């Protein structure tokens, strides 16, 4: 069961290795890799947090606001991009052990997509996040972005 402290591991500063598809919907598209840095801090005694990621390769920054709903036991993850200046639709989900899975609906390149975020390999010194899109309501998934986080010492 999730708790308001599921993301406590993420507070602090991180080096990030990004690997993403050049076309999020094309399984044959190339992968590009680039570094980034990230910093996360808690809010609401741990039941929320904010992070900012700096991706110079993309000339962009992103921010995520995570909120824990004590009644449902679920998190909402809300992403914003400095490129668009918009807040994307949230994904919702929870942790089961050290793996968190979160789902939502969005559009990409004019197509409706189901979105999945997975947090895994969580430890005090590292974590993995991946994003996948589905065009068929979640029957099949195409992973299109992976971030590997390493704690800044």
């Amino acid at each position: 069961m999730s708790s308001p402290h599921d993301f406590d591991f993420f507070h602090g500063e991180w080096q990030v290795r990004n690997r993403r598809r050049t076309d999020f919907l094309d399984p044959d598209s190339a992968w590009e890799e680039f570094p980034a840095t990230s910093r996360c801090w808690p809010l609401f005694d741990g039941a929320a947090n904010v992070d900012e990621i700096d991706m110079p390769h993309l000339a962009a920054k992103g921010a995520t606001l995570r909120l824990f709903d004590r009644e449902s036991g679920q998190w909402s993850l809300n992403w914003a991009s400095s490129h668009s200046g918009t807040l994307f639709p949230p994904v919702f989900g929870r942790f089961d052990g050290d793996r968190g899975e979160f789902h939502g609906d969005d559009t990409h390149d004019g197509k409706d997509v189901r979105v999945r975020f997975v947090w895994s390999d969580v430890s005090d010194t590292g974590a993995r996040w991946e994003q996948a899109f589905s065009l068929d309501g979640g029957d099949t998934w195409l992973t299109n972005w992976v971030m590997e986080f390493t704690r800044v010492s």
Side-chain angles (χ1 to χ4, degrees):
M1 186 69 164
S2 270
S3 86
H5 297 287
D6 288 333
F7 281 100
D8 284 1
F9 75 90
F10 201 47
H11 303 157
E13 296 183 15
W14 299 89
Q15 294 292 328
V16 188
R17 181 178 165 259
N18 287 271
R19 188 169 185 259
R20 72 176 200 161
R21 291 189 186 275
T22 54
D23 181 336
F24 282 3
L25 298 176
D26 181 359
D28 296 321
S29 68
W31 288 90
E32 64 176 341
E33 294 187 20
F34 55 92
T37 57
S38 179
R39 182 173 64 97
C40 178
W41 57 98
L43 302 168
F44 307 157
D45 299 320
N49 64 58
V50 174
D51 78 72
E52 181 181 43
I53 187 166
D54 185 5
M55 300 171 285
H57 173 76
L58 300 178
K61 294 184 179 187
T64 304
L65 170 64
R66 297 177 189 84
L67 300 164
F68 185 74
D69 181 328
R70 293 176 191 273
E71 194 170 305
S72 70
Q74 288 195 28
W75 286 91
S76 64
L77 283 56
N78 305 272
W79 166 257
S81 166
S82 66
H83 269 174
S84 65
T86 59
L87 187 62
F88 288 77
V91 295
F92 299 91
R94 60 177 39 112
F95 275 83
D96 184 6
D98 68 351
R99 184 178 189 278
E101 192 164 319
F102 307 87
H103 294 92
D105 296 306
D106 203 344
T107 58
H108 183 77
D109 286 343
K111 295 180 182 173
D112 291 336
V113 294
R114 187 85 177 131
V115 179
R116 180 182 70 195
F117 291 176
V118 174
W119 280 94
S120 61
D121 301 330
V122 170
S123 74
D124 290 337
T125 59
R128 176 185 170 94
W129 171 88
E130 74 176 48
Q131 172 181 275
F133 286 175
S134 174
L135 292 171
D136 57 15
D139 290 336
T140 60
W141 294 95
L142 176 62
T143 299
N144 54 37
W145 198 329
V146 175
M147 293 183 187
E148 294 177 352
F149 293 84
T150 304
R151 175 81 61 196
V152 173
S153 48

